[in-house]
């Protein structure tokens, strides 16, 4: 019988890191919504999405290029 404790420990570490990353990524939204309210949070969300448009377009381009060049 194999010992599954290392697998459970690894799973706990991965889950904890993912949870911490989620909290860190969304902490700014929570604080803006809590302190300034939903209207300011809506403006922040729109501005953040607008900021990410060029990054997402470049990322999509590289994804297509990598798939085209690997085949």
């Amino acid at each position: 019988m194999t010992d599954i404790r290392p697998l459970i420990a690894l799973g706990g570490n991965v889950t904890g890191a993912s949870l911490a990353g989620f909290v860190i990524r969304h902490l700014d939204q929570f604080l803006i919504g809590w302190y300034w309210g939903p209207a300011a949070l809506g403006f922040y969300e729109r501005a953040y999405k607008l900021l990410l448009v060029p990054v997402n377009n470049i990322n999509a381009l590289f994804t297509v290029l990598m798939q085209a060049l690997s085949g």
Side-chain angles (χ1 to χ4, degrees):
M1 205 74 202
T2 59
D3 190 17
I4 64 168
R5 285 180 282 179
L7 294 176
I8 292 174
L10 176 66
N13 289 338
V14 170
T15 302
S18 297
L19 184 62
F22 177 82
V23 169
I24 289 170
R25 277 193 311 272
H26 296 299
L27 183 64
D28 58 340
Q29 297 169 4
F30 172 76
L31 292 175
I32 289 171
W34 173 70
Y35 190 75
W36 282 299
L41 180 60
F43 285 125
Y44 177 79
E45 283 291 317
R46 289 293 180 181
Y48 190 76
K49 287 181 181 179
L50 183 62
L51 174 77
L52 288 180
V53 166
V55 174
N56 290 337
N57 287 341
I58 292 171
N59 189 22
L61 174 68
F62 282 122
T63 301
V64 171
L65 285 175
M66 289 297 289
Q67 290 176 359
L69 293 175
S70 68

